[in-house]
Structures are given as structure tokens and as C-alpha cells.
Amino acid sequence: MSKKTIFPKDFLWGGAIAANQSEGFWNQGGRGASIADTAPYNQNQNYSTYEAFDELTIAEIEDRLNDKDGYYPKRWGNHFYERYEEDIALLAEMGFKTLRLSVSWSRIYPKGDETEPNKEGLEFYRNIFKTLKKNKIKPIVTLSHYETPVHLAIKYGGWINRELLVFFERYCETVIYEFKDYVEYWMAFNEINVIQHSFYVGGAVPKDFIKNKENDLYQVIHHLFLASAIAKKVMKKISPTAKMGGMLARREGYPATCNPLDVLQSVIDDQKNLFFTDVLARGYYPSYMNAFFKENNIHINYEDTDDELLRNNTIDYVSFSYYMTVLSKYEIDENTELTTGNLVSGVKNNYLQSNEWGWQIDPVGLRITLEKLYDRYQLPLLVAENGIGLKESLNENNSIEDIQRVDYLRSHIREMRAAVNNGVDLIGYTVWGPIDIISMSTSEMSKRYGFIYVDADDYGVGSFNRYKKKSFYWYKQVIESNGSNL
Ligand code: BGP
């Protein structure tokens, strides 16, 4: 390996947040409720059965909306809604080149099916984009980060219903038109494959609408593919020089042994994950999925124009979240040790250490995934999320010595650097939750990812003031040196 590895000069160093985990003020500024606002915090939770992934009936969703069931941290976030100027100034101080953030659909169309957008919502994001521009930070915008308006879930059954395509197209047209002068990078859905884990989180589908689980799953996925293609189609029309990406929760894995059956299992597990980016990047269903549909009697309702829509509107770059790896095993029995993750679970790898939530830390896995994805798609790649959740509290100097975070990020950046050196076209790296943010899977504030500490607990008690951690200064120097000073 060459000693002097250089990231491209316009490499997008930065971080990533989502509206529903950061903004708060969930019912202010004309905003409607989104499905994320129904995710409660349960202090007695068992980490392997995250409530965030519960399947819910309409009655249960309504109960949660009426606060029948406790405390909902995503409604409060980290107060980005009122502190975004201060937050962006801090990110600019670190030298951020980019901030990946989502627009909350229900701030723009509070119920989702209106014909006129909410002006206050548009104003809010316009101010954010202006502030980013002033600070020379390029936004990467996710159009839907688990944020479907809850009304679309209750009234239409969420993404099981093809009618959502009409509402989503209108939303995309509005947002892309309004912000075309500020945004060069878009992506339609965050972690589009989360639907494999929850109809509600991934597809806004209440239990009442699910008739045949497996068939319905692929119908919802088909609609998400069409919606992604529509987002690209709209973007091409309104902002032809911008780029539309696809976003996958990457499940990188290895065979548990060199038994060919474990190796084959690993290939099959990988296909289940890569299926999503295969369709988005190539514009058609891969043969292994067509075979699977045939064998399992799965029939997707297609319209004549669907094939053309998918083929003509493929993504411009591939992005993914990467936190961990797992093992694949042909035969899993009661002695097989399993491991958890927020989306990824599988067989435990004893060569790896885990974080407090059982997520197995594997920097080399990031290199492997970059090489694999680039080879498969030959499209630019973006690491849209990476980072480590830690429980932290301020020391006497109002800071945190988050050495573990620095170690984690440093080791992952080293592997990215090696991949770039080996010819991978990597355009950016956005560390998850640069300012402490509510956890997606556990709804905890105390699972912290940030370079910047937010003084708030799991119940929203605290000043919400921001404090720089040690990693703040470290990441600043990483960006300053374009990744050579780690
Ligand atoms: C991803 C989600 C994010 C984020 C991250 C960390 O799956 O896209 O929204 O939260 O994981 O996960 P968690 O917050 O559950 O620790």
C-alpha cells in the first residue's frame, strides 16, 4: 500500500442527522405528526426487542398520538429546530464540508395528501439552507428518513397503497423546486431496506392493512422503488445537474466457517441486502429475486409503465450506513451465539469487539463493503452514516474525553483511505449524529454519537446547551488535513 494516500480534494467530510431525531417542536410551525412521533421511550426496554420496530394497529397509533402511552423523545429531538444556527456554526468551526439532513415531509405537507404546502415549513428549511450556504457547507438531503406523515398511514395504509406515489411526487416537486439552488445531492429514502424489519417504520403500514405478510412486503418494496424513481425523475426535470442517491443499511457479513454451505449462505444473505441497491442502481429486478418470487408464489401488482420508470431513473450514487458486520451460517441452532444491531442481526463473530448495544465493531468490514459495492455498481459511493453510540457525561471541564469514539472513527477512516487508494470512487463521509441526537432504535438521548454533547437526558430534562467533546478537535484536524492527519 502506498504510504501517501490522499482523499479527493473536494471530498465531502461531514456528518448526518435526521429531522425526526433532531428538530423537535413536532407540532409547531404548522407541522403534522409523522410516524416517528409515535416511537416511545421505554426505560425497561430489552435491547434486543426495540419498540421502535413494533408493528402497530391503527388504534394503537391513535393511542400513541393521544399520549396514552408515555414519553416520546423524537418529538423533542435535540432542539435543532430552534438552535440550528448555533449548531451549524459549530459544525462550520470543525470545517464541515457537508451536512446530511432530512426534510420532514409532515412539515411541508402536514397530512401528506394536501395540495398546498405549509409555507412555514418551507421557510424553516430555506433558512437552514441559507445558513449552510453562508458557512460553505453543502447539504445532502434525504427526502424521507422514517418520516411519512402519520395521516397517510392511518387513512391509506402507508406504502402498501399506490396512491402514496402521487403524494410523494407532489412533495418531491415542491421541495426540489424550492431548494434547487441550494442542494446538489439528494436521496429518496433513508435505509430503504428497513422495511424488511418493520412494516411500520419502513413503510408506514399499520397492521390492519397487512393481509399476506410476504406478498405485501414485496408490494410495499415495489412502491418504494417506484417512489425513488419518481424522485429521480422529478429532480432531472427541475434540477438536472443535481444527483440522486440510493441509501441502504449495509449488512456486510462473512461466512461463519469455510464450510461451502456457510459460504453459500453468506452469498444468499448478501443478495437479500443488495437486492435494494441492485434495483435502484440497475433499474430492474435481479434474476435471483425473480426466481425467489416464482418459488414463493409472490405476485407484485405492476403497471405497464413501471419497468420503464425504473429503467429510466436509476440512482447517480450509492450511499449506505455502516456500523457493524455479522456472520452467516447455514444451520443455526440453540448453541449458535447471535448478535444484535439496530437493523442488522446475525451470528456473532468472536474476532470482533462489540459496543454496549452488542453492535460488532469492524473497520475492515467497511473496506470490504466499499470494494464490493464499487465493483458491483461502478458508481460513486457515499458513506452516509458511521459512528459509535456511547453513554457519556460531562467532566469537570464541561467536556468529554471520548477516546473510544476517536479510535472507532480513526480506524474506519483508515480503511476508507485504503479503499480510495485502491481505486474506489468515494465522494464523502458523513458521521452519524455529529451533535448528540435521539437514537433511532431505542429513542434514548443517552446513546450518544456526537462530537458535540447536548445537555439533555432521556426524558428531555436539561438545558440542551452544547459542549465540545475531545473528538470535536480531532475531527476538525482530520478535515483540515483532508484525512491525512488521523
Ligand atoms: C440508522 C438510522 C439512523 C440512526 C443510526 C444509529 O439505522 O438511519 O436514523 O439513528 O442508525 O442508530 P441508533 O440511533 O439506533 O443507535
Side-chain angles (χ1 to χ4, degrees):
M1 195 196 307
S2 121
K3 271 204 253 131
K4 191 135 182 81
T5 318
I6 302 169
F7 282 94
K9 80 170 184 336
D10 47 359
F11 191 74
L12 295 168
W13 295 101
I17 59 174
N20 75 88
Q21 292 165 259
S22 61
E23 287 177 7
F25 298 82
W26 70 298
N27 54 9
Q28 305 291 302
R31 182 184 181 281
S34 86
I35 56 165
D37 302 319
T38 59
Y41 173 59
N42 169 8
Q43 62 170 332
N44 297 316
Q45 70 192 296
N46 165 358
Y47 289 128
S48 58
T49 53
Y50 296 133
E51 291 209 0
F53 295 106
D54 278 359
E55 303 295 1
L56 300 176
T57 62
I58 293 176
E60 285 165 340
I61 296 168
E62 281 169 342
D63 275 356
R64 288 185 176 192
L65 282 173
N66 294 327
D67 275 359
K68 285 246 173 71
D69 191 17
Y71 176 65
Y72 298 86
K74 287 180 189 163
R75 296 180 184 181
W76 312 114
N78 67 9
H79 289 193
F80 183 73
Y81 187 72
E82 61 172 25
R83 288 187 180 251
Y84 68 86
E85 282 184 313
E86 176 190 352
D87 286 348
I88 291 171
L90 284 164
L91 302 179
E93 194 184 326
M94 266 189 283
F96 269 42
K97 309 282 184 219
T98 189
L99 177 66
R100 173 178 169 239
L101 74 170
S102 69
V103 168
S104 161
W105 186 352
S106 62
R107 261 196 205 290
I108 308 299
Y109 288 99
K111 290 174 134 189
D113 58 359
E114 302 93 333
T115 47
E116 287 306 313
N118 167 32
K119 296 243 160 54
E120 234 181 303
L122 290 173
E123 213 31 48
F124 169 63
Y125 290 107
R126 188 177 314 285
N127 288 335
I128 291 183
F129 292 132
K130 277 188 182 160
T131 312
L132 287 171
K133 193 170 178 181
K134 227 173 39 208
N135 285 283
K136 299 197 176 58
I137 298 176
K138 286 187 181 180
I140 298 175
V141 178
T142 316
L143 289 158
S144 181
H145 193 123
Y146 310 141
E147 285 152 354
T148 303
V150 85
H151 171 77
L152 297 183
I154 293 173
K155 181 162 176 204
Y156 300 88
W159 285 100
I160 190 87
N161 190 332
R162 199 176 165 108
E163 242 185 298
L164 257 73
L165 294 176
V166 177
F167 309 135
F168 189 68
E169 180 160 4
R170 191 177 299 147
Y171 163 64
C172 290
E173 273 170 358
T174 303
V175 171
I176 296 174
Y177 177 78
E178 292 285 336
F179 304 127
K180 60 181 183 317
D181 296 338
Y182 298 97
V183 183
E184 189 184 331
Y185 292 95
W186 300 93
M187 56 180 82
F189 293 96
N190 180 63
E191 301 186 326
I192 186 167
N193 54 319
V194 78
I195 183 67
Q196 288 171 321
H197 305 272
S198 165
F199 271 102
Y200 188 58
V201 175
V205 188
K207 249 194 213 162
D208 318 55
F209 287 87
I210 302 167
K211 305 279 177 282
N212 169 341
K213 250 186 158 184
E214 195 156 43
N215 210 83
D216 291 350
L217 173 66
Y218 290 99
Q219 188 64 55
V220 174
I221 292 174
H222 185 61
H223 291 156
L224 295 175
F225 287 149
L226 296 176
S228 305
I230 285 172
K232 170 75 189 273
K233 188 187 77 179
V234 167
M235 188 204 77
K236 274 196 307 198
K237 194 176 72 192
I238 300 176
S239 183
T241 56
K243 311 236 176 302
M244 180 65 68
M247 159 51 166
L248 178 77
R250 181 67 183 128
R251 178 209 179 277
E252 186 55 67
Y254 316 123
T257 69
C258 53
N259 176 343
L261 289 174
D262 287 343
V263 179
L264 178 62
Q265 189 60 48
S266 177
V267 171
I268 292 168
D269 289 346
D270 213 18
Q271 287 178 338
K272 287 250 160 64
N273 185 249
L274 293 173
F275 154 50
F276 292 86
T277 30
D278 279 356
V279 178
L280 295 176
R282 296 168 174 165
Y284 56 90
Y285 281 73
S287 46
Y288 61 85
M289 282 316 284
N290 289 330
F292 171 84
F293 294 153
K294 216 166 166 188
E295 197 172 318
N296 293 280
N297 226 359
I298 287 166
H299 297 284
I300 300 173
N301 291 328
Y302 253 78
E303 287 191 2
D304 292 347
T305 49
D306 289 1
D307 274 342
E308 203 188 323
L309 181 67
L310 293 177
R311 266 181 209 276
N312 292 341
N313 296 287
T314 53
I315 51 177
D316 302 306
Y317 65 97
V318 177
S319 72
F320 61 94
S321 57
Y322 177 88
Y323 293 94
M324 57 181 291
T325 55
V326 288
L327 298 181
S328 290
K329 199 163 172 0
Y330 177 65
E331 273 178 328
I332 295 185
D333 56 33
E334 66 279 6
N335 299 321
T336 315
E337 242 190 304
L338 298 175
T339 181
T340 53
N342 63 347
L343 305 172
V344 178
S345 57
V347 176
K348 194 160 185 279
N349 183 343
N350 289 323
Y351 286 95
L352 302 175
Q353 305 282 319
S354 301
N355 75 7
E356 206 178 316
W357 289 265
W359 302 17
Q360 299 188 131
I361 301 168
D362 183 6
V364 176
L366 177 57
R367 163 92 194 267
I368 294 168
T369 233
L370 286 166
E371 299 282 355
K372 197 186 278 181
L373 294 179
Y374 189 58
D375 191 36
R376 194 172 181 108
Y377 302 118
Q378 297 283 303
L379 284 172
L381 302 180
L382 168 78
V383 180
E385 288 182 26
N386 176 237
I388 184 164
L390 297 170
K391 299 225 162 174
E392 300 170 311
S393 47
L394 287 176
N395 61 24
E396 63 284 1
N397 303 319
N398 277 336
S399 184
I400 289 162
E401 298 286 306
D402 53 344
I403 315 278
Q404 221 185 323
R405 175 166 299 106
V406 170
D407 285 347
Y408 178 98
L409 296 176
R410 179 192 286 128
S411 60
H412 285 75
I413 295 173
R414 274 200 184 119
E415 296 301 328
M416 288 190 330
R417 207 159 65 169
V420 170
N421 226 11
N422 204 32
V424 169
D425 181 7
L426 182 63
I427 57 173
Y429 177 63
T430 51
V431 174
W432 179 252
I435 302 168
D436 291 345
I437 200 170
I438 304 291
S439 157
M440 182 267 168
S441 56
T442 68
S443 288
E444 290 167 314
M445 183 74 212
S446 54
K447 186 181 190 189
R448 298 169 184 277
Y449 284 85
F451 302 114
I452 296 158
Y453 180 87
V454 174
D455 172 35
D457 68 11
D458 290 334
Y459 295 91
V461 178
S463 64
F464 283 82
N465 287 339
R466 278 48 176 159
Y467 298 92
K468 297 169 191 170
K469 304 181 193 174
K470 190 183 174 82
S471 58
F472 179 100
Y473 303 98
W474 171 79
Y475 197 47
K476 183 176 188 314
Q477 120 213 310
V478 171
I479 300 177
E480 241 162 38
S481 66
N482 198 21
S484 42
N485 194 354
L486 291 175

